[in-house]
Amino acid sequence: MIDPKKAVHLVYGSSGSGILNYYFKTNFPDDEIHIHCIYNDLTTGPLTDFTSETDYEAYISYWKTIDRICHQESTENEESHFEYPELSIEFSINFPENQPLIIWHGSDAGEKLMLYRYCHLLQERNLFEINSDEWAVNSEIPDSQNRLGKRNPELLNGILNLVKKINDDDKNFYAEEWERLKKDQKSNRILKNDRIISVDEDYYDQNLLSLCTSEYQNAARIIGETMGQQESTVGDHYLFYRIHVLIDQNLLECKGNSALMRDLEIRKK
């Protein structure tokens, strides 16, 4: 069996990376354990292998368009737009051959998409996994979920014992799932009944509208409630964009600063 302390740990999302880093620093303070994180959202936007400049440009262009729509009325000082790091580093698959690769995933669309991508692009390598679905959720902790970013790092002692090799059949299935989802060419992907499916851009619109009333409410509150009602994770910035679309469609009206989620109030027309 491999030594997890000598592996590259592949995780999804800044919260997941932070949880795992805290766990390693607390429990293995004398070891330098390598964590590699995909920070950007795989559940929204164009889905590609993210291995070429064309792939990166398509992803950045998509999010810049959304950002521009959300901040049409902002000034440079009001709202800092997204900044994009070097995506070729974040989405790199050039890992040292002498280090095992451990993929952390659970019941989360983004984590599963990360798993599928690595299995597709690294089919020739031995891959290992820690499936957090196999690690009991503490029912006494509110909002406790199998997603790594929602875990309490102080309750992860022993989780490295879950490491196991991804067998060829599973690896091929995950790789095929990645290809299927790429071909769908839809902008959103959700987890439903333990399977990733593609959905249309307006998937969350009815949920947003159902939470709006004839009275003005803060947009951030509507977005937060919508996020909390989803089986899958969805980013607040994307939902903010959908609110702007609904305003443009005359389904919602607004007052306040439309460039700032916390300062925007919305209601049904």
Side-chain angles (χ1 to χ4, degrees):
M1 182 53 69
I2 64 170
D3 182 354
K5 292 184 291 184
K6 296 180 179 179
V8 179
H9 294 262
L10 306 174
V11 301
Y12 178 79
S14 58
S15 57
S17 177
I19 293 293
L20 198 57
N21 185 61
Y22 179 91
Y23 169 68
F24 286 153
K25 293 290 186 185
T26 302
N27 292 275
F28 309 103
D30 298 325
D31 295 289
E32 292 188 11
I33 304 177
H34 185 180
I35 299 173
H36 184 89
C37 180
I38 292 179
Y39 294 99
N40 279 286
D41 191 355
L42 292 176
T43 67
T44 304
L47 193 67
T48 66
D49 284 339
F50 300 100
T51 55
S52 70
E53 287 300 321
T54 302
D55 293 346
Y56 307 143
E57 287 170 5
Y59 185 83
I60 290 172
S61 176
Y62 176 86
W63 281 104
K64 281 188 174 180
T65 298
I66 285 180
D67 203 36
R68 191 161 51 246
I69 291 171
C70 290
H71 303 111
Q72 295 177 54
E73 299 178 12
S74 67
T75 67
E76 194 170 321
N77 294 326
E78 280 179 328
E79 186 78 9
S80 59
H81 293 191
F82 280 154
E83 294 182 1
Y84 297 89
E86 183 55 62
L87 294 183
S88 62
I89 296 174
E90 181 175 334
F91 287 105
S92 174
I93 54 172
N94 296 319
F95 301 110
E97 291 288 340
N98 63 340
Q99 284 187 277
L101 303 178
I102 300 176
I103 305 170
W104 290 68
H105 65 94
S107 295
D108 176 78
E111 290 182 348
K112 285 186 179 294
L113 285 162
M114 176 191 66
L115 168 69
Y116 297 169
R117 176 178 179 267
Y118 283 131
C119 287
H120 168 66
L121 296 176
L122 298 171
Q123 292 189 51
E124 302 306 314
R125 287 200 61 166
N126 288 329
L127 299 176
F128 299 83
E129 66 178 332
I130 291 181
N131 184 349
S132 58
D133 288 344
E134 299 173 2
W135 190 255
V137 171
N138 191 326
S139 60
E140 297 178 0
I141 300 177
D143 300 323
S144 186
Q145 299 177 8
N146 283 334
R147 181 162 63 95
L148 180 59
K150 283 285 190 177
R151 289 287 189 162
N152 183 342
E154 296 179 357
L155 299 178
L156 294 180
N157 290 336
I159 196 170
L160 295 181
N161 294 326
L162 295 181
V163 174
K164 63 182 179 182
K165 183 179 178 182
I166 301 176
N167 64 54
D168 289 341
D169 287 343
D170 285 344
K171 189 190 295 183
N172 290 333
F173 172 75
Y174 297 149
E176 290 169 1
E177 285 292 276
W178 179 256
E179 287 290 351
R180 173 182 67 82
L181 291 163
K182 280 198 306 180
K183 290 176 182 176
D184 283 346
Q185 290 299 307
K186 292 186 176 180
S187 60
N188 286 274
R189 291 155 289 276
I190 65 168
L191 180 65
K192 189 170 185 178
N193 298 324
D194 202 36
R195 188 167 188 252
I196 305 293
I197 62 171
S198 301
V199 295
D200 292 321
E201 187 178 53
D202 62 357
Y203 176 77
Y204 300 102
D205 289 7
Q206 286 305 313
N207 205 148
L208 289 165
L209 288 169
S210 70
L211 292 170
C212 295
T213 68
S214 59
E215 301 296 325
Y216 278 111
Q217 298 180 78
N218 185 268
R221 175 184 175 185
I222 298 296
I223 288 169
E225 290 184 14
T226 300
M227 292 172 68
Q229 292 178 3
Q230 307 307 312
E231 182 179 351
S232 283
T233 52
V234 56
D236 59 352
H237 196 67
Y238 182 76
L239 295 179
F240 189 46
Y241 156 68
R242 293 311 303 172
I243 283 177
H244 278 271
V245 172
L246 294 171
I247 292 170
D248 290 342
Q249 293 174 346
N250 291 318
L251 295 173
L252 293 175
E253 59 183 349
C254 65
K255 67 177 183 178
N257 187 344
S258 64
L260 294 174
M261 193 184 305
R262 63 181 179 272
D263 291 340
L264 178 65
E265 293 187 341
I266 56 176
R267 69 179 181 185
K268 281 184 178 177
K269 270 205 169 183

